[in-house]
Structure formats: structure tokens, C-alpha cells
Amino acid sequence: MTNHSETTGPSENGDATQRGAHSGPTPDAGRKAEAERMADLGPTAHESQVTLRTPAELADALPYLLGYRPEDSIVLVALHDRGGRGRFGGRARLGIPASTDDWEPAARQLAQGLVAGSERRGARPEQMVAYVCQEPAKGESGRDVMRRLRPLAQLLRTECGRLDVPVIEALCISDGRFWSYCCPNEGCCPDDGAPMGLPGTSVLAAAAAYAGIQVRGTLRELRTRLLPWETSAALDQEIVLDTVGMTVVPRILDDATRADVAESTLGLAERVVNRFAGAPSVSGTLPADLRDDELLTHEEAATLILGLQDRTTRDRAAAWMEGDEAGPALRLWRALARRCVGPYGEHAAAPLTLAGWVAWSTGDDLEAREALAMALGADPDYLFARLLHQACNEGLDPETVRRCLRAERAGHADAESGSETTSEDDAAAARHGASEPGPRRRHRARPTDGTDSIPRPARADSRRPRPDGTHARTPAPGRTRPGASRRDGTRTRAAGKDGKRPGDAASEGTRSGSSATEGDA
């Protein structure tokens, strides 16, 4: 099963409240969804609460509970009882498995993960709300999707029931409509579904805006910013990676020159961060990414990608995590992840982990979880990403890691003569309260000098460029930003002069976090 999963942290963005919620498809319980559920929409000067009374309001609440609009997803939302009124707690999401044979283990993983995560935070949920979200395939209608996913919704109810946490509402959202699997009342929940409200027009949307909660589009749009190029320009970048790698990798593996490579890599990264910081601001994620790509040359990108494969260098770069440095640094790590093209996909683990760390450090848990999951998709054994992913999913405070990195940065000159605490140990300290020394475990062969192994692209000899680079292809005229790749391996159109790029090119796949770990769901 190749699904990405996440559990949000503590219930800061909502905890529900229910009175007399219907718990199953009975004539009385489902009628008009006789439930009042109140969502705490986050810390504000005055606690902002909204009462949710119907399945329609629960369907409308989902993007605000997650912070994005889920696609092709199974979602569980925990409910906690507080003085006879429930509140939304943790939320967990998995991609819907393509094979129905995987539905039962996926439902079990999601239910057990969310309950276990809630228990670790000291609040076992009393009830659940379940969602299945998927757009119709060609020739399908939303009603067809609802019927096809009904067994999956029933599995969610069964698995939650095994844990003594009943699902009081199960909703299907598809093609701009929603269906309740629990409410049998045609007047409330017709068989043809009910239309979703226009985004941003509900009372909940107004309350969310007042509380400062934003819905950031879809996960697909977010992942597009981190996916590798898949156009003719990607081949040019790959050739430069080959060329630079022949010089940089041997120097990293040589104890006599490794420190020099680290210093030159960090110096170059600092110059690019300053270049990004001084660039004119633009509105919109696509124009911003286009601007950053134009500010970074192929050779600079290759030098930084390869240099960051050294763990010590990566740890020092992780110190750009707060203040004025954080924003430009995050942009650089995103840009480098987009340059890990072709056989260099495994190299993306380093920039994706750095992007996830900076996002988490600056309070953006959504991008942090996605970037870290994608890092584990690129390299499932990347320890720093695994530790950060688990800590972020459990809602821990990143300040523990920040303190260690600040001290390491301030004392770097003196640390040359003693033992250094690595960022992997810092993340373990945030997770477990203790450091976890030792080299990160890799399944790749290690060099005899004991240094971390450097991933090398695996390819047929026929793909190696000739020294004169004559097989390089020039990007088509007007294409200034390579497009993002589809997860099925096909290529998308590059951005044209009008700046358009397919924002929906990505879908669930191994690069987007196929390696769900225990406690993540």
C-alpha cells in the first residue's frame, strides 16, 4: 500500500461539539442531522466558535479542519466530550488505495493511528466523523463515486467500532456534492446528493477568516512546488549534475577535502539565500517559483544538491530556520528539490527535509508534513526526515531542535575539536527527550573511510552524457520554468510565456510520501 498519511497535532484548529448526534442510519437519529457540533477555530483574542448542525455544515467544515481541500482522501476527525459537548480533536488522512483489497488495512491503519495519537496526547476520542473524498473518473458521476466508496466508509465505521469509538457521521464528497452514509432522510440527504456551498460563503468560512485560518488549496498544488522538473530543461540540469558530481562527490568522500566542500557549499547557499531575499516580491506561488528558478543556475543547483548530501553540511544549513533567513532559505530548499531530476530523485531527501524543517520551525505544519513525507518517499531510510516527520505529526514543539541548532551554530568554530550534536540527534531529542548519537543508517554501501555514503544515480551507460555534452537539448522557446511531473511518470507541459503551469500535475505516489510510519496516521 503506497499511501501518504498524516495526523495533525493537538486540536488547535478545532475540536467539535455535539449534542444528540445521530450515530447510525436510524429514522430518528439521522433526521435533519440533529447534531450541534461546535468548532473552536483557533486561538484568537476572543474564542471563536461555530455550531454545526447538519451534514452540510460538516462537509463545509472539512477544508477548515485540515487547512486544505483534500483530494482522493480518507479522513477521520476525532471528537472529544467536554461537559456534554464534543469538540473536534486530531485529524488523520490517507490517500484512497487504488485496490479495494487495500481498503480494510488502510481503514484499520487510519483508525488505530488516530486513536493511538490522541491517547498519547492524553485525550482518547469518544466519537469520529469520517469523510471519503474523490472526484469522478471518466464516465462516472458523483453518485457513482458515492456508491463505489460505500464499502470503504463502512470499513471505517467497523474499524472505529472495534476500538469502541463510534463513527457518528460518514460523508462522501465528490463533484461538488456530498452524501451522508448515516442519514436515511431523503429530505435532508437525498440519494442524488446535496450541493456543497460556494467556498468562502458560509458562516464557518467567515468565522475562519476572522480567526485567521486559511484554506490553502489542495495538496496537489502544494506538492507541485516540490516535485522535480520533467521537461527538456530537466535534461540540461541532469547533465550538469553528472558533470559537477564527478568533481564534488570524490571530494566529499575524501577526509582531506570534505571540510572545504562543506564551507564552499554553505558559502554558495548563503549567497543564493541573500540573492533570493533581495529579489522583488511577486504575488502567487507559480510566479514566485518561476522567479526563484531564474535566480538559480544549473551549476549552482548541482553544487548545492550534491554538497548537501554530506550530513554535517546539511545540519549547518538547517540553522537557517527563523527570522529573516527562514523565508529565503525555504524558497531555496524548494528550488533545489525541483532540480533533483531523473536519476537524482533520491538526492531530494536532503532539500526536502530542510524545507520540511524550516516550514515546521516557522509554524507551517501542513507544508512540513508534506515535504517530510516526500523526503521519506525519496529515501525511506533518511533518519533526520523520519524523526522530524514523527515529531511534527505528534504535535511537538520544534523549539527543542531550534535551541540545539542555535547553540551548534554559535559554537561551530569550537566544535571542530569536540563531538558535535547532529540535527538527527536534535530531532530525536524533540521526539524522545534524549539524543540518539551515531551515523544515520543507510542501506547503500558505505565508503571505506567511514563517511556517510553519497547516493549516486543509477542509470544505463547509454544515458551518460558525452564529455562535450552534445546530447543536451535546449528548452523550447518561451519555456522559462519546467513543469512539475505527474506521479504516474508522464510529463506535463512546461510553463509558457504567460506563466501558466499545470497546477494539478501531481497525484499520490512514492515521491509524495509512500512510506507511512508507525504513529504517522
Side-chain angles (χ1 to χ4, degrees):
M1 181 174 63
T2 57
N3 291 290
H4 166 58
S5 64
E6 81 260 353
T7 301
T8 68
S11 46
E12 315 140 0
N13 286 345
D15 265 88
T17 322
Q18 50 84 21
R19 269 182 263 164
H22 65 275
S23 58
T26 63
D28 294 330
R31 198 163 290 149
K32 203 61 179 176
E34 300 195 81
E36 291 183 0
R37 300 179 182 86
M38 187 174 296
D40 177 358
L41 295 175
T44 60
H46 307 284
E47 189 179 71
S48 178
Q49 294 182 332
V50 176
T51 301
L52 307 179
R53 297 182 177 86
T54 67
E57 290 171 333
L58 282 174
D60 181 68
L62 181 58
Y64 300 98
L65 294 175
L66 296 179
Y68 59 90
R69 302 187 185 280
E71 300 172 306
D72 196 28
S73 298
I74 316 166
V75 181
L76 280 179
V77 180
L79 301 180
H80 300 286
D81 185 18
R82 294 187 183 176
R85 297 169 64 85
R87 298 176 68 83
F88 290 122
R91 284 80 77 193
R93 187 201 70 87
L94 275 175
I96 297 177
S99 172
T100 57
D101 292 338
D102 289 329
W103 285 5
E104 184 174 355
R108 184 176 302 119
Q109 176 187 356
L110 201 63
Q112 291 177 349
L114 181 53
V115 171
S118 298
E119 287 177 337
R120 283 195 299 270
R121 293 191 290 270
R124 178 183 173 84
E126 283 81 21
Q127 297 170 322
M128 295 278 195
V129 176
Y131 300 83
V132 289
C133 311
Q134 193 173 70
E135 289 306 297
K138 187 175 181 180
E140 266 191 327
S141 66
R143 183 177 178 180
D144 295 331
V145 173
M146 179 272 294
R147 291 176 172 173
R148 177 166 52 79
L149 296 181
R150 186 186 295 275
L152 176 57
Q154 185 57 42
L155 285 168
L156 290 170
R157 300 176 71 183
T158 300
E159 293 300 329
C160 290
R162 291 184 197 278
L163 300 171
D164 295 323
V165 185
V167 173
I168 62 168
E169 182 57 271
L171 299 172
C172 175
I173 299 175
S174 180
D175 199 25
R177 304 181 77 83
F178 73 90
W179 290 259
S180 170
Y181 291 116
C182 297
C183 178
N185 191 335
E186 277 285 330
C188 172
C189 301
D191 191 46
D192 287 333
M196 297 283 292
L198 292 174
T201 60
S202 66
V203 174
L204 180 60
Y210 175 74
I213 297 173
Q214 297 181 348
V215 176
R216 299 177 53 187
T218 67
L219 289 181
R220 181 180 300 173
E221 293 167 350
L222 190 153
R223 290 177 185 138
T224 298
R225 308 190 73 185
L226 302 170
L227 290 170
W229 291 353
E230 284 286 347
T231 62
S232 57
L235 180 58
D236 294 337
Q237 179 65 73
E238 183 181 327
I239 293 169
V240 177
L241 280 161
D242 286 334
T243 304
V244 174
M246 288 187 287
T247 301
V248 172
V249 172
R251 296 184 66 214
I252 294 177
L253 298 176
D254 186 343
D255 284 341
T257 55
R258 189 176 187 181
D260 291 339
V261 176
E263 293 302 326
S264 62
T265 299
L266 292 167
L268 174 59
E270 186 172 7
R271 292 193 297 275
V272 176
V273 166
N274 291 334
R275 188 187 307 162
F276 279 14
S281 60
V282 295
S283 60
T285 58
L286 174 59
D289 290 345
L290 287 168
R291 172 205 56 198
D292 292 344
D293 288 334
E294 292 172 354
L295 292 172
L296 184 65
T297 68
H298 289 327
E299 185 172 359
E300 288 173 333
T303 301
L304 292 173
I305 289 168
L306 295 166
L308 289 172
Q309 303 309 305
D310 176 65
R311 187 177 68 177
T312 303
T313 307
R314 178 211 64 199
D315 290 352
R316 291 174 62 187
W320 299 327
M321 60 193 173
E322 56 191 344
D324 293 338
E325 292 175 328
L330 177 57
R331 288 161 51 194
L332 174 58
W333 309 143
R334 288 192 197 117
L336 293 180
R338 294 193 293 267
R339 302 290 186 105
C340 293
V341 296
Y344 289 89
E346 188 176 342
H347 291 64
L352 285 170
T353 300
L354 289 170
W357 159 239
V358 176
W360 185 38
S361 177
T362 54
D364 189 348
D365 288 0
L366 174 58
E367 180 165 2
R369 284 193 300 271
E370 288 305 309
L372 293 170
M374 291 173 71
L376 290 173
D379 183 353
D381 298 319
Y382 207 71
L383 182 58
F384 190 26
R386 184 171 297 282
L387 293 171
L388 289 174
H389 192 234
Q390 189 170 0
C392 180
N393 281 340
E394 292 183 4
L396 302 183
D397 189 347
E399 180 58 23
T400 302
V401 184
R402 282 197 295 259
R403 282 198 299 267
C404 293
L405 287 172
R406 290 188 200 109
E408 193 173 307
R409 184 178 187 180
H412 176 71
D414 296 334
E416 294 291 340
S417 59
S419 61
E420 295 187 17
T421 301
T422 68
S423 294
E424 289 167 5
D425 304 330
D426 304 336
R431 171 65 182 89
H432 302 292
S435 63
E436 197 172 285
R440 61 186 169 98
R441 294 165 298 191
R442 311 284 281 184
H443 289 173
R444 294 183 294 269
R446 295 178 180 275
T448 55
D449 62 359
T451 60
D452 283 352
S453 59
I454 305 299
R456 299 176 186 274
R459 71 182 73 194
D461 290 340
S462 60
R463 294 198 63 197
R464 292 188 179 278
R466 293 188 294 272
D468 60 359
T470 53
H471 73 300
R473 289 183 291 176
T474 304
R479 297 192 174 191
T480 58
R481 160 69 161 95
S485 66
R486 292 185 183 272
R487 305 310 308 146
D488 61 4
T490 59
R491 294 186 174 185
T492 65
R493 212 174 48 245
K497 291 182 178 178
D498 57 359
K500 294 182 180 179
R501 186 181 71 206
D504 59 350
S507 62
E508 296 280 346
T510 57
R511 178 65 183 275
S512 58
S514 61
S515 54
T517 59
E518 180 181 355
D520 292 347

